[in-house]
Amino acid sequence: MKASMFRSVEAALRRAASASSSSSKHLLRRSYSSDSKPERKVAVLGAAGGIGQPLALLMKLNPLVSSLSLYDIAGTPGVAADVSHINTRSQVAGYVGEEQLGQALEGADVVIIPAGVPRKPGMTRDDLFNINAGIVKSLCTAIAKYCPNALVNMISNPVNSTVPIAAEVFKKAGTYDEKKLFGVTTLDVVRAKTFYAGKAKVPVAEVNVPVVGGHAGITILPLFSQATPKSNLSDEDIKALTKRTQDGGTEVVEAKAGKGSATLSMAYAGAIFADACLKGLNGVPDVVECSFVQSSITELPFFASKVKLGKNGVEEVLGLGPLSDYEKQGLASLIPELKSSIEKGIKFANQ
Ligand SMILES: NC(=O)C1=CN([C@@H]2O[C@H](COP(=O)(O)OP(=O)(O)OC[C@H]3O[C@@H](n4cnc5c(N)ncnc54)[C@H](O)[C@@H]3O)[C@@H](O)[C@H]2O)C=CC1
Ligand SMILES: O=C([O-])CC(=O)C(=O)O
């Protein structure tokens, strides 16, 4: 999945480079060939932010996108003008302020939401709830109205609560489809792959590691027992890798020392997940990514695990597979915290 995302981006970069050095006839032929893919509109809400800007760039490089809609409460005209000059397939439009939100969303196939405040050192993701819950609620109300069939990729934290909030908003509006709502946990997978490759000394491009549970602290449960290529890391190594993956967000928050949280790695992860959603919509077979979705694989109503993506969004929520004793313990310990974050979101949405 990561490799195929790279291929898409690489192909777009190659097309752009050769288009600028070839005649206009060639340029036309190239744009016709990319236009043979279905039209797909992607909207980014929070597009002028730390994640939103690089994510807008990466989505502009994705040849599966024909229309890129950039929305924020401020700053989007500049971001849209800038990104729109890149000679790739999609048409770019910037929308600013609530009165333009409807236009930004109309006809969207995929809506990516990195809108909201990020953490500062000393904060938990749950400390963002008071501000971000309201932002997510109002954006999802507009999604229910203007693009009820879109796949929603929720990045705004705390994901463990913002996804249940979105589900409740959609239920109230009568538009909820559990196959179309995703909490983006791809960054946990990206980190687990990077850290595992470094420790096990295996080529990072070949690494696969499922990460299940949720997206905060101990609710992030990487399943290194299922990591490939196999390695014989010690129990201590696995514990250290697990902790580093769980604290990956905090590592960045502390390094940025008050200037926000992960933005560039998150944009990369968000672009991979959106690319997987688009491939699924386009009928590409066997597209699998981890995501926090409505689920019945544990007692909790939402849970992150491997998910097969298809033409209608979630095609299948895959099970956890065999867990080591250490992972079984991790699963038991994360349930109460994840349960309470989910309930907090549901309660907020129904106030
Ligand atoms: N799921 C994940 O793995 C990750 C999630 N995040 C979360 O993503 C969110 C955004 O982070 P950053 O981009 O670093 O923050 P940022 O502050 O740089 O950008 C947020 C953007 O959202 C915009 N915004 C605020 N209210 C809005 C509204 N009602 N409608 C549209 N846009 C609105 C702001 O104007 C700003 O441009 C945070 O909640 C952060 O915790 C961050 C990293 C990883
Ligand atoms: O840690 C944060 O606040 C942002 C985030 O979710 C991550 O980087 O995983």
Side-chain angles (χ1 to χ4, degrees):
M1 287 139 282
K2 192 176 84 173
S4 59
M5 167 72 194
F6 267 137
R7 275 196 297 277
S8 306
V9 171
E10 197 186 68
L13 288 170
R14 229 182 301 112
R15 261 199 305 280
S18 66
S20 52
S21 66
S22 62
S23 69
S24 58
K25 206 167 98 197
H26 281 110
L27 207 157
L28 271 178
R29 204 170 55 221
R30 280 169 205 288
S31 71
Y32 282 139
S33 75
S34 62
D35 284 351
S36 64
K37 298 200 171 68
E39 302 279 305
R40 294 290 177 201
K41 174 169 170 175
V42 172
V44 180
L45 312 184
I51 296 167
Q53 292 200 36
L55 182 57
L57 168 64
L58 293 174
M59 296 320 293
K60 179 71 174 109
L61 299 184
N62 190 320
L64 302 180
V65 182
S66 59
S67 165
L68 182 60
S69 171
L70 304 179
Y71 172 80
D72 205 302
I73 49 173
T76 15
V79 178
D82 187 353
V83 166
S84 74
H85 289 184
I86 297 170
N87 57 329
T88 55
R89 179 188 181 198
S90 52
Q91 297 296 312
V92 181
Y95 301 95
V96 67
E98 233 179 300
E99 60 291 351
Q100 296 188 2
L101 179 55
Q103 261 180 293
L105 291 172
E106 231 145 42
D109 297 286
V110 176
V111 180
I112 316 175
I113 313 184
V117 290
R119 284 201 283 165
K120 287 190 190 307
M123 292 170 83
T124 67
R125 290 180 182 81
D126 187 58
D127 293 332
L128 305 172
F129 186 97
N130 289 344
I131 298 180
N132 290 355
I135 293 174
V136 163
K137 192 175 174 186
S138 70
L139 292 174
C140 289
T141 304
I143 291 170
K145 185 167 173 196
Y146 294 105
C147 55
N149 296 318
L151 304 192
V152 175
N153 294 183
M154 183 68 70
I155 291 175
S156 311
N157 271 316
V159 168
N160 293 354
S161 304
T162 52
V163 169
I165 291 172
E168 291 304 302
V169 170
F170 297 151
K171 278 182 202 164
K172 280 195 182 168
T175 66
Y176 183 52
D177 180 347
E178 73 275 12
K179 294 185 171 61
K180 298 190 168 177
L181 176 59
F182 302 88
V184 181
T185 57
T186 320
L187 182 52
D188 302 317
V189 176
V190 163
R191 287 176 177 142
K193 287 177 174 180
T194 305
F195 303 156
Y196 178 83
K199 190 63 102 179
K201 304 205 173 4
V202 291
V204 70
E206 287 170 26
V207 171
N208 262 310
V209 186
V211 182
V212 303
H215 179 68
I218 62 157
T219 73
I220 300 168
L221 183 62
L223 303 181
F224 287 113
S225 69
Q226 296 176 24
T228 53
K230 291 275 169 222
S231 69
N232 42 19
L233 292 176
S234 67
D235 290 354
E236 285 316 302
D237 282 340
I238 296 294
K239 273 189 194 161
L241 282 176
T242 302
K243 178 113 179 59
R244 187 159 182 219
T245 306
Q246 292 174 332
D247 294 345
T250 306
E251 186 178 319
V252 179
V253 168
E254 281 169 3
K256 290 199 175 179
K259 297 232 163 71
S261 55
T263 54
L264 304 173
S265 51
M266 181 58 237
Y268 170 74
I272 286 183
F273 190 71
D275 181 67
C277 286
L278 290 165
K279 287 199 174 99
L281 287 177
N282 289 356
V284 175
D286 302 321
V287 180
V288 175
E289 286 290 341
C290 289
S291 179
F292 184 66
V293 293
Q294 182 174 313
S295 172
S296 54
I297 66 168
T298 68
E299 68 200 72
L300 300 178
F302 294 92
F303 202 81
S305 68
K306 284 203 243 177
V307 170
K308 192 168 175 190
L309 295 157
K311 288 187 177 173
N312 298 305
V314 175
E315 203 162 272
E316 191 185 352
V317 177
L318 303 174
L320 294 177
L323 304 187
S324 67
D325 287 346
Y326 176 64
E327 289 159 0
K328 281 182 194 154
Q329 269 173 31
L331 178 60
S333 341
L334 74 82
I335 299 272
E337 180 180 327
L338 185 49
K339 185 168 189 277
S340 99
S341 301
I342 292 169
E343 284 167 357
K344 187 172 175 181
I346 294 173
K347 188 166 165 221
F348 171 85
N350 288 303
Q351 269 165 14

